[in-house]
Amino acid sequence: DAGVIQSPRHEVTEMGQEVTLRCKPISGHDYLFWYRQTMMRGLELLIYFNNNVPIDDSGMPEDRFSAKMPNASFSTLKIQPSEPRDSAVYFCASSLGGAKQETQYFGPGTRLLVL
Amino acid sequence: AQTVTQSQPEMSVQEAETVTLSCTYDTSESNYYLFWYKQPPSRQMILVIRQEAYKQQNATENRFSVNFQKAAKSFSLKISDSQLGDTAMYFCAFMKLMNYGGSQGNLIFGKGTKLSVKP
């Protein structure tokens, strides 16, 4: 089975530009998570969805960040406008809900560099 | 709020030897899961092992095992017969179980331990 798919794998952009990160979860998984990894803050949750509905977006840093999940097989994380401090690795993860299915499987990440 | 602490920023071990990575956590919850994830230089996050808090038996996965001490809130990872491919960052993570049947919570990660396996 294909794992979590993220695109692009690398993104270099200039400050002020819009950035869109994409994620395809594992088929059948009903939870989707967006995490950000930086040297300073480590791995932190940005937002997560259950059955395409956002459950907790308290980790989204500010209004410049938005996430959508229009269907069970696709999610986007958008940064507009981007700033140098947004440079990080962004991970998408998915999992099944229900007892004994709580393991989150991570995608390969998108390395974002904002100049 | 839950916190996860990994007190060893870096460790090294000789190939074929055994190494133990430490993790402690702080929570008032009684139902939760604990995980160890591995992040090699490729940056892919790979699940190594998980432990359900309600289980007294320590989880094992081949060369990887944990020492789960619930009262002490300690969750260490032991890697036996270390291999060069074990070189990676290792993250300990906590997940609270929500009150309604089996629902998900988000992972809370420690800062990680960088493990180097030397030939």
Side-chain angles (χ1 to χ4, degrees):
Chain A
D1 288 340
V4 176
I5 299 171
Q6 290 186 247
S7 64
R9 294 290 305 275
H10 302 274
E11 177 81 24
V12 180
T13 190
E14 293 188 345
M15 183 174 64
Q17 297 298 307
E18 178 179 294
V19 175
T20 299
L21 311 182
R22 298 173 176 81
C23 176
K24 177 178 169 56
I26 293 172
S27 178
H29 281 190
D30 51 359
Y31 281 85
L32 184 139
F33 302 79
W34 283 101
Y35 290 90
R36 179 171 67 175
Q37 185 179 32
T38 61
M39 289 295 291
M40 291 295 293
R41 299 175 66 90
L43 277 154
E44 53 183 350
L45 178 75
L46 298 177
I47 185 172
Y48 77 94
F49 297 82
N50 177 215
N51 292 322
N52 314 337
V53 176
I55 302 299
D56 183 355
D57 65 353
S58 60
M60 296 285 263
E62 49 199 274
D63 292 345
R64 298 184 297 106
F65 285 69
S66 63
K68 294 181 180 179
M69 192 164 185
N71 57 62
S73 59
F74 183 66
S75 176
T76 60
L77 178 68
K78 186 176 293 187
I79 308 172
Q80 167 63 22
S82 58
E83 297 182 2
R85 61 192 167 123
D86 301 330
S87 298
V89 181
Y90 291 82
F91 288 101
C92 176
S94 72
S95 69
L96 279 171
K100 302 186 185 298
Q101 301 288 349
E102 289 78 5
T103 298
Q104 295 180 22
Y105 296 92
F106 283 74
T110 295
R111 183 176 295 200
L112 174 65
L113 178 61
V114 183
L115 302 174
Chain B
Q2 291 79 27
T3 58
V4 177
T5 303
Q6 294 179 248
S7 59
Q8 305 150 314
E10 292 192 41
M11 295 190 72
S12 65
V13 63
Q14 291 295 129
E15 196 175 6
E17 294 190 346
T18 296
V19 63
T20 298
L21 308 183
S22 300
C23 173
T24 58
Y25 58 96
D26 187 23
T27 184
S28 58
E29 303 292 332
S30 56
N31 295 320
Y32 51 88
Y33 283 67
L34 295 163
F35 302 84
W36 280 97
Y37 279 88
K38 167 185 176 181
Q39 187 178 41
S42 66
R43 290 194 174 269
Q44 176 81 46
M45 292 290 287
I46 303 165
L47 177 70
V48 175
I49 200 166
R50 79 175 201 179
Q51 174 79 42
E52 293 89 339
Y54 64 86
K55 289 186 177 179
Q56 293 188 341
Q57 186 174 6
N58 290 323
T60 62
E61 286 288 343
N62 300 314
R63 298 183 294 107
F64 298 89
S65 62
V66 298
N67 183 4
F68 174 47
Q69 302 289 328
K70 191 172 184 178
K73 297 180 183 175
S74 170
F75 183 61
S76 61
L77 174 69
K78 185 171 83 170
I79 305 174
S80 303
D81 186 26
S82 297
Q83 301 176 0
L84 297 178
D86 296 333
T87 293
M89 282 288 288
Y90 286 81
F91 292 94
C92 178
F94 170 98
M95 187 179 74
K96 179 178 74 171
L97 283 181
M98 307 303 279
N99 290 330
Y100 45 102
S103 187
Q104 267 285 12
N106 61 288
L107 288 167
I108 298 169
F109 287 92
K111 295 294 186 185
T113 295
K114 184 177 181 180
L115 176 67
S116 299
V117 180
K118 300 185 184 304

